[in-house]
Amino acid sequence: MDFNDVIATLDSNQPVAIREDKPPIPAGFQPLPKRDRIPRVGQIACGTPILAEENVEAYDEVPSDWHADFTLLCKGDSMEPKIKDGDVVAIHCQPMVENGEIAAVLIDGEATLKRVFLFDDHIELRAENPAFATIIRIGEAMNTVAIEGKAVGLCRKL
């Protein structure tokens, strides 16, 4: 039905059939995944830890299958090349991670994003960027470290 047919139908007070089916997805493309809208609650250091402040600054849409609870804006370059300054990282709240996973971590109330390695007598928080020293807490000092959650995805502007 072209434009003139629609006008003729309207002039004769006849109902107009509107197609509600979606156009087919072109070959080689996939539909967008189901998404969740989750809060961006602040910034996280990718470098020297920064004071953790949880205020909802914005909302981000991330794939539902990430099971993310909130996002954080990354500041710094300690996690480069994997995670860059300005990336938005999605976090799933959980108090423990597997060795080698990237997590949002609080150290004495300051937040940082690092790879976590837990041993019987110490914890290591490692940067991806070799220019940054590993943060190590031994014995009782391990109690100053709290894992807020696992990094499950990131968003980056092109």
Side-chain angles (χ1 to χ4, degrees):
M1 181 178 284
D2 69 8
F3 178 75
N4 290 327
D5 292 333
V6 171
I7 296 300
T9 303
L10 290 174
D11 285 342
S12 65
N13 290 324
Q14 297 297 315
V16 177
I18 299 175
R19 286 182 48 186
E20 295 203 18
D21 57 326
K22 296 179 183 177
I25 296 172
F29 289 84
Q30 293 181 348
L32 287 174
K34 185 174 183 274
R35 296 174 304 209
D36 294 326
R37 188 171 184 255
I38 60 173
R40 183 182 308 167
V41 297
Q43 298 179 355
I44 191 160
C46 292
T48 306
I50 58 175
L51 182 63
E53 293 182 31
E54 289 189 16
N55 299 311
V56 175
E57 296 178 352
Y59 287 87
D60 295 301
E61 287 194 8
V62 300
S64 297
D65 63 0
W66 286 0
H67 305 288
D69 297 299
F70 62 92
T71 59
L72 295 162
L73 178 65
C74 297
K75 292 293 181 188
D77 59 356
S78 75
M79 295 305 286
E80 286 193 10
K82 186 177 216 64
I83 301 171
K84 300 180 182 301
D85 184 53
D87 284 352
V88 174
V89 66
I91 304 294
H92 172 67
C93 292
Q94 59 185 68
M96 291 297 297
V97 294
E98 298 291 324
N99 276 349
E101 290 183 324
I102 297 173
V105 180
L106 289 178
I107 306 170
D108 294 321
E110 296 184 328
T112 191
L113 193 69
K114 296 287 185 275
R115 282 199 184 276
V116 176
F117 294 88
L118 184 62
F119 301 91
D120 290 335
D121 62 342
H122 70 284
I123 188 169
E124 294 181 14
L125 305 174
R126 298 181 193 165
E128 291 283 295
N129 185 338
F132 287 80
T134 297
I135 298 169
I136 300 174
R137 296 292 184 265
I138 301 171
E140 288 296 316
M142 292 170 63
N143 295 329
T144 64
V145 176
I147 296 169
E148 291 294 303
K150 176 182 170 180
V152 292
L154 67 87
C155 304
R156 174 178 297 149
K157 290 183 181 178
L158 296 178

